[in-house]
Amino acid sequence: MITGQYYRAGHSECIEAVLEHSGQGIKVINGDTCLEQVGLDEVKVASPIPGVASEVVFVTGARFVPRDKHHRWQFGQSRLAEKLERSKAVIIGAVIAVPVALYLMFFHLLPAAAQASVHFVPDEVIEQMGSQAFLIIEKTMLDPSELEASVKSDIESDWNNALDTLKLDRERYQLGFYRSDVLGANAFALPNGQIVMTDELAELLKDNRHASLAVLLHEIGHVKHQHSVKMVAQSAGAAIVVAMLFGDLETSSEVLLGTGSVLIESAFSRDMEREADDYALNKLVLLGISPVAFADAMRALAKAHQLELGDGEESRQYLSTHPGISERIEYAEQFTPE
């Protein structure tokens, strides 16, 4: 017999009682009154937690809590979980296995899932993603272009000639110019094919039109390989995984999700940048332009963003998610077309 407190379903008031159990069933008694009498298959035993009484839960919702918090029931549930919790080997194994499993999930499974999922995203969704993203970027980071007309005309001429030669759709790939104190000399692509070049970048490369075109081809590479859509799919997957792991722990999950997203995007976008670089270099060759033009663009960008090539700092500065500038320059100078 085990003494303890009995709680009726839906009531917080406890009744001092005694629980008796045998191979046939369980009986809870208070004096001469039988409070519960059920079979063993009609109860559940809470998972044992060190220092906490393991309660018996009846199908009616009533509960029996033993007075002895160290008591462990011999029925209802296997004691395997308790044994595992006390095993040092299992604990050490879990400490090692959990980070490994999370690494594989975030850096291998999620990228693979993102790669596979983009093929099922409708064109209408991609168009809407690009339009909405541009509205936000335009309001927060961009100002109307003040670029000299002749510089803009040269870039647009090279752009249109390249699209026609490479048989790329002019309707899809739209080039826009904006001034940006936030982005400085930069260019970016949106999922729907819209390419933005800042005035600062156009001015930086105006004396090297091939370098300017190389940057734009790099941005087309991002669109062709659907990198933006993949990033969205991967970020959504990361959010779902974190929500499943941490439930409603609002503050902790927000911090962990933010940190995880940064790490994921850092690892994944380096691969994307290399893929876009390859696209640009191959297209330069098809256009009869030396891949060194891309290296020239990287050198100019490094100078504009005050990077010292090869000093080890570049990976922590301008677009730290990108491969090192020195690495990209070397790759372009030694590039062999596919």
Side-chain angles (χ1 to χ4, degrees):
M1 295 188 300
I2 305 298
T3 60
Q5 289 82 39
Y6 174 79
Y7 295 83
R8 296 184 186 277
H11 294 270
S12 59
E13 182 182 358
C14 67
I15 301 172
E16 294 295 327
V18 174
L19 185 147
E20 300 178 351
H21 67 87
S22 63
Q24 286 72 40
I26 290 175
K27 182 185 294 186
V28 179
I29 302 171
N30 173 252
D32 295 329
T33 305
C34 179
L35 303 174
E36 291 277 358
Q37 186 169 4
V38 297
L40 292 178
D41 59 346
E42 298 180 76
V43 298
K44 294 182 179 179
V45 176
S47 298
I49 300 175
V52 178
S54 180
E55 63 183 32
V56 176
V57 182
F58 299 89
V59 291
T60 60
R63 297 176 297 121
F64 179 86
V65 182
R67 190 181 303 277
D68 181 4
K69 62 182 181 181
H70 300 294
H71 179 75
R72 295 294 179 260
W73 303 101
Q74 302 300 320
F75 59 86
Q77 285 188 345
S78 169
R79 303 188 67 185
L80 177 60
E82 185 178 6
K83 292 179 181 178
L84 292 176
E85 291 173 356
R86 296 176 180 274
S87 170
K88 291 183 178 180
V90 172
I91 293 173
I92 294 173
V95 169
I96 296 173
V98 169
V100 171
L102 289 175
Y103 171 81
L104 292 174
M105 181 177 296
F106 281 108
F107 292 95
H108 292 279
L109 294 180
L110 283 177
Q115 291 273 0
S117 65
V118 296
H119 303 297
F120 302 99
V121 180
D123 292 340
E124 294 79 6
V125 173
I126 294 176
E127 179 64 35
Q128 189 173 13
M129 286 172 56
S131 299
Q132 292 180 349
F134 181 72
L135 286 175
I136 296 172
I137 295 171
E138 186 179 27
K139 288 182 179 180
T140 58
M141 297 184 181
L142 304 178
D143 296 305
S145 175
E146 298 175 357
L147 188 62
E148 186 180 345
S150 61
V151 176
K152 180 179 178 181
S153 177
D154 287 343
I155 295 174
E156 288 179 333
S157 176
D158 293 339
W159 167 262
N160 289 325
N161 288 336
L163 291 182
D164 292 341
T165 302
L166 298 173
K167 294 180 172 55
L168 297 174
D169 186 359
R170 283 198 189 190
E171 291 297 321
R172 183 183 186 195
Y173 296 101
Q174 298 286 331
L175 176 61
F177 295 90
Y178 292 86
R179 182 174 60 83
S180 178
D181 296 331
V182 177
L183 298 175
N186 218 321
F188 62 87
L190 295 168
N192 59 351
Q194 185 169 3
I195 311 294
V196 171
M197 173 180 269
T198 65
D199 289 1
E200 293 81 355
L201 179 58
E203 287 289 344
L204 178 68
L205 301 177
K206 67 180 180 180
D207 295 326
N208 190 339
R209 291 167 62 174
H210 286 169
S212 178
L213 181 60
V215 173
L216 296 177
L217 289 171
H218 169 90
E219 298 306 327
I220 292 179
H222 282 307
V223 179
K224 293 290 286 185
H225 292 291
Q226 297 183 291
H227 289 159
S228 297
V229 183
K230 291 174 184 176
M231 290 297 290
V232 171
Q234 191 170 338
S235 296
I240 293 171
V241 170
V242 171
M244 291 175 63
L245 290 174
F246 300 100
D248 295 327
L249 299 179
E250 295 180 2
T251 302
S252 298
S253 63
E254 286 175 7
V255 172
L256 287 166
L257 179 55
T259 303
S261 297
V262 170
L263 292 174
I264 294 167
E265 291 173 12
S266 176
F268 199 23
S269 62
R270 279 193 291 269
D271 292 337
M272 290 179 175
E273 289 303 324
R274 292 189 181 96
E275 197 169 29
D277 285 355
D278 278 335
Y279 179 90
L281 294 170
N282 277 292
K283 297 310 178 187
L284 284 172
V285 172
L286 288 177
L287 293 170
I289 300 173
S290 171
V292 173
F294 186 83
D296 292 340
M298 292 297 101
R299 287 194 185 89
L301 281 168
K303 184 177 180 180
H305 290 272
Q306 299 180 335
L307 297 182
E308 294 295 331
L309 297 180
D311 68 353
E313 291 296 315
E314 57 192 76
S315 63
R316 296 190 291 274
Q317 296 183 49
Y318 169 63
L319 298 180
S320 61
T321 58
H322 291 47
I325 299 291
S326 296
E327 175 190 335
R328 300 172 77 182
I329 291 173
E330 182 180 358
Y331 181 72
E333 291 178 334
Q334 299 177 1
F335 179 73
T336 301
E338 295 175 356

